[in-house]
Amino acid sequence: MKQFVALMFACAILAAAPLRTFAESTFETHTVTENMDNACAVKFADMDGDGDMDLVSTGWSASRVAWFEQTENGDWPSHPISWSFYARDIDIADLDGDGDMDVVGASFNQNAFRWFEQQEDGSFTNHLISDEMTQAHTPAVADLDGDGDLDIALSTFAAGYLWWENDGDQNFTSHTLLEGAVSGTMMDVLDWDDDGDKDLIGVSEDGDAVYLWTNDGSGSFGFMSLVEGYNAAHWVAVADLDGDGDKDIATVAWSGSNLSWWENEGSNVMTQHSLGYFFGAATVHVADFDWDGDVDLVATADGGDEVSWWENDGGETPEFTRQILSENFNHAFGLGIGDIDNDGDFDIAATSSSEATILLYENLLPQAGVKQETGSMLPGGFVLSPVSPNPFNAQATVTVELPARGDLTLTLFDILGREVAELTDGIHSPGTHHFSLNANDLSTGVYFLHASFEGGEAKVQRVVLVK
């Protein structure tokens, strides 16, 4: 089924605009900074609203949160977010809905949980959510109760898993998902059951487990263990790794020094496929790095000083080939995925907790990306104007001009060629039409907007969603 969907999508795109030729990814390494002591988490986000991606990072025991601005000359000037917060992990979102990116952080050392509001001048105001989150670890931002504002899920080592309900004015009320000393090393948001609301997935290091919370849409969650007995589980990432239409997971075990992917056999029964020894495995993420229609893996090894990605061969039970990015990156730890250069492929950022270093691995995939429509066309033709804004956070506007009455279809596809949204499919009058692209139910990533009008050439635009 995966091959058929990918083929149909590729045919549609090729009829509209030239794509690159699929090829093996190679990466070029760039140093972003060597001055982020105890660098831990790293995220991609457009922090200054200039249309390109910047990087946000934390210095775990150095009480520092900062963002690094992407500039045309290749420098990465640092901008402070906080000089007094020992953030273990962060998430980036427009928490207050004012059009810029805010930062949510969790501090393991300070037992605190805060958000940093970006002001018009680019400075940040610190807001305490709680200072009773013992060994707070990882926050994840999403609208969990379907009321239109952004809530926050949180994993902790000793205070359980919780989600914090936003009243719309950034006052937060806690709801417990699982109590106790759960050693929760991470938490993430996803739609596991494809019912349109936000579910949660988390990892328990001492519990050797991966947990799943399914949402009924109102913020009431059911609970189950997806994986048990996985020694010192540390991180999890979710994707359809075998192309059979359901969600599988990739995991790393820190003291267990293992990387595995787990095949969903149906009814959430998971079968482990070990990819072998990976010394001090810390973090794992998923993306289609080589643009061949299947999902690859990238992971860091804190003990092995390594950053590598694993190429998926697309088989029914896929085989993964290891490609080393760095093998002497001392205490490689955090990972971020994004399109730093707006060329349509996924780049990688990684941190070293002992060298104060952040590295950027630029994906040099040949001819990456889709030819962008600019709206320049002879008068009276079918025009798809640039999506605005792009990248976008929650909502963007799609504008088309129609030369005559006819059937217009606007469809959004993800990077694997799966249809994720339909903006319109019907008869429209001649003239200019505006459509809203709402991303409340979508995850951060690259998407493709396909526009077709009867009697006219189909068009495609690449859009980037950042939450």
Side-chain angles (χ1 to χ4, degrees):
M1 181 63 182
K2 172 188 69 175
Q3 289 83 355
F4 175 76
V5 172
L7 177 61
M8 292 299 290
F9 179 63
C11 291
I13 298 296
L14 287 170
L19 279 174
R20 64 163 182 81
T21 302
F22 294 137
E24 182 173 319
S25 287
T26 57
F27 292 84
E28 182 176 297
T29 305
H30 306 271
T31 299
V32 175
T33 184
E34 294 178 326
N35 191 33
M36 193 66 180
D37 291 340
N38 306 118
C40 191
V42 61
K43 306 281 186 180
F44 287 68
D46 183 4
M47 296 302 294
D48 50 6
D50 63 353
D52 58 35
M53 288 290 161
D54 309 298
L55 295 173
V56 187
S57 187
T58 65
W60 183 359
S61 59
S63 68
R64 184 181 176 198
V65 184
W67 70 276
F68 297 85
E69 180 182 357
Q70 182 177 178
T71 62
E72 291 183 358
N73 61 11
D75 294 335
W76 292 88
S78 173
H79 302 273
I81 296 172
S82 173
W83 287 102
S84 60
F85 191 59
Y86 295 78
R88 166 58 186 83
D89 206 350
I90 51 174
D91 202 4
I92 316 296
D94 184 7
L95 197 62
D96 52 5
D98 64 352
D100 54 33
M101 292 292 103
D102 309 304
V103 178
V104 178
S107 173
F108 187 94
N109 295 3
Q110 295 170 313
N111 303 323
F113 176 36
R114 300 178 181 271
W115 75 281
F116 300 89
E117 178 186 1
Q118 185 170 177
Q119 305 298 329
E120 290 185 4
D121 63 359
S123 64
F124 289 83
T125 300
N126 178 351
H127 301 277
L128 177 66
I129 299 174
S130 174
D131 57 3
E132 297 179 349
M133 292 293 97
T134 309
Q135 297 176 325
H137 208 276
T138 300
V141 178
D143 182 4
L144 296 175
D145 52 6
D147 64 354
D149 53 39
L150 293 177
D151 311 299
I152 308 170
L154 179 69
S155 69
T156 75
F157 256 59
Y161 298 91
L162 308 95
W163 74 275
W164 293 75
E165 181 181 357
N166 187 347
D167 68 356
D169 292 317
Q170 293 73 61
N171 302 305
F172 293 91
T173 302
S174 67
H175 303 272
T176 300
L177 294 165
L178 187 64
E179 293 182 320
V182 294
S183 63
T185 53
M186 69 86 65
M187 201 161 204
D188 203 2
V189 179
L190 73 164
D191 185 3
W192 179 268
D193 47 13
D194 296 319
D195 63 353
D197 53 39
K198 299 300 184 183
D199 307 310
L200 299 169
I201 194 166
V203 175
S204 172
E205 186 169 10
D206 289 346
D208 303 329
V210 178
Y211 299 137
L212 176 68
W213 292 265
T214 53
N215 193 347
D216 69 359
S218 67
S220 179
F221 291 87
F223 171 78
M224 67 170 295
S225 294
L226 274 182
V227 170
E228 295 180 335
Y230 184 58
N231 184 26
H234 194 257
W235 212 265
V236 64
V238 179
D240 182 5
L241 295 171
D242 54 6
D244 63 355
D246 55 27
K247 292 179 176 64
D248 311 299
I249 62 174
T251 58
V252 290
W254 195 339
S255 60
S257 295
N258 177 260
L259 170 66
S260 289
W261 77 275
W262 301 73
E263 180 179 359
N264 191 340
E265 303 283 4
S267 302
N268 299 326
V269 175
M270 313 301 288
T271 297
Q272 182 179 6
H273 301 269
S274 176
L275 299 182
Y277 183 78
F278 198 49
F279 181 33
T283 310
V284 62
H285 285 297
V286 292
D288 186 1
F289 293 111
D290 51 6
W291 260 77
D292 61 354
D294 50 45
V295 181
D296 311 302
L297 312 177
V298 62
T300 56
D302 178 71
D305 304 331
E306 183 180 329
V307 184
S308 290
W309 73 282
W310 281 257
E311 182 180 357
N312 187 340
D313 71 355
E316 184 174 339
T317 302
E319 298 291 331
F320 290 85
T321 302
R322 186 174 180 172
Q323 313 279 357
I324 296 176
L325 297 171
S326 293
E327 53 186 341
N328 294 297
F329 190 36
N330 197 22
H331 291 288
F333 195 83
L335 273 178
I337 306 294
D339 184 7
I340 201 71
D341 46 9
N342 287 326
D343 65 350
D345 54 34
F346 286 105
D347 308 300
I348 300 165
T351 66
S352 164
S353 61
S354 63
E355 292 184 351
T357 301
I358 301 173
L359 294 182
L360 175 68
Y361 303 94
E362 179 188 357
N363 195 338
L364 301 180
L365 199 63
Q367 304 173 21
V370 173
K371 179 181 178 181
Q372 296 294 297
E373 295 295 336
T374 64
S376 59
M377 206 173 167
L378 292 175
F382 167 41
V383 176
L384 173 63
S385 297
V387 174
S388 180
N390 187 19
F392 72 108
N393 172 249
Q395 188 166 308
T397 299
V398 179
T399 302
V400 297
E401 297 177 22
L402 303 182
R405 178 179 171 84
D407 189 9
L408 172 68
T409 302
L410 292 173
T411 310
L412 192 69
F413 295 88
D414 68 12
I415 200 165
L416 295 182
R418 299 172 299 198
E419 181 179 327
V420 295
E422 184 177 79
L423 280 68
T424 187
D425 183 9
I427 301 298
H428 293 270
S429 59
T432 302
H433 299 267
H434 304 283
F435 300 90
S436 178
L437 173 55
N438 190 312
N440 287 341
D441 296 327
L442 301 178
S443 301
T444 294
V446 176
Y447 296 86
F448 297 94
L449 179 68
H450 182 272
S452 62
F453 180 69
E454 63 179 68
E457 181 186 18
K459 304 177 186 301
V460 174
Q461 281 191 33
R462 182 180 66 91
V463 294
V464 178
L465 171 62
V466 179
K467 290 189 171 182

